[in-house]
Amino acid sequence: VPVDGSHWLSMREVVDVLGQRGHEVVVVAPEVTMHIKPSKNFVMKMYSVPYAQEEIEKDFKVFLQSIFEGGSFLERFLKVYEHMKRFHNLSVTSCEWLLQNKELISYLEETKF
């Protein structure tokens, strides 16, 4: 169950190689992600979340722009902090929706994930 972003980008190569070597690899991810995409080297199990792809992409773009805006250190820090809180809240929401997805949880239990 990777976290979108740098965690996934670091894991992706390992996951691909394991799949190429014949291991059964299952990746559980929300339907809305920035980087986690299907591959022939692993099985994707996706679950719905209450936010859209456009929302994530817009939030990330605004976050990147805020990093390079002027202002005092404190102003820039507070902007980055607010954006990080937003991403954290989206992660928590994603986890909640995963745990509430009875069909996917049953599949994971049955396959001894």
Side-chain angles (χ1 to χ4, degrees):
V1 183
V3 175
D4 204 2
S6 61
H7 294 87
W8 172 245
L9 297 174
S10 299
M11 285 178 61
R12 175 66 192 254
E13 187 173 340
V14 173
V15 169
D16 276 334
V17 170
L18 287 171
Q20 290 168 4
R21 292 185 179 176
H23 295 275
E24 181 183 355
V25 179
V26 178
V27 173
V28 177
E31 289 176 335
V32 175
T33 70
M34 291 188 55
H35 300 289
I36 305 170
K37 305 297 179 209
S39 167
K40 62 181 170 66
N41 296 319
F42 53 82
V43 174
M44 287 283 296
K45 292 292 182 182
M46 302 186 91
Y47 57 95
S48 63
V49 287
Y51 47 84
Q53 187 71 38
E54 296 78 22
E55 184 180 354
I56 295 292
E57 291 171 3
K58 180 184 168 211
D59 284 351
F60 190 70
K61 186 176 181 179
V62 170
F63 168 68
L64 288 178
Q65 288 173 340
S66 73
I67 291 174
F68 299 106
E69 288 180 355
S72 71
F73 172 78
L74 182 58
E75 290 170 329
R76 289 180 294 139
F77 175 83
L78 291 174
K79 284 181 188 177
V80 169
Y81 175 75
E82 288 302 317
H83 290 292
M84 296 305 291
K85 261 184 18 181
R86 169 80 174 135
F87 290 128
H88 171 76
N89 290 338
L90 288 172
S91 290
V92 169
T93 299
S94 177
C95 290
E96 289 172 347
W97 279 65
L98 166 61
L99 295 173
Q100 293 171 12
N101 186 320
K102 294 184 186 328
E103 183 180 324
L104 181 53
I105 295 297
S106 292
Y107 165 82
L108 296 174
E109 288 173 345
E110 290 169 9
T111 59
K112 297 183 180 16
F113 183 76

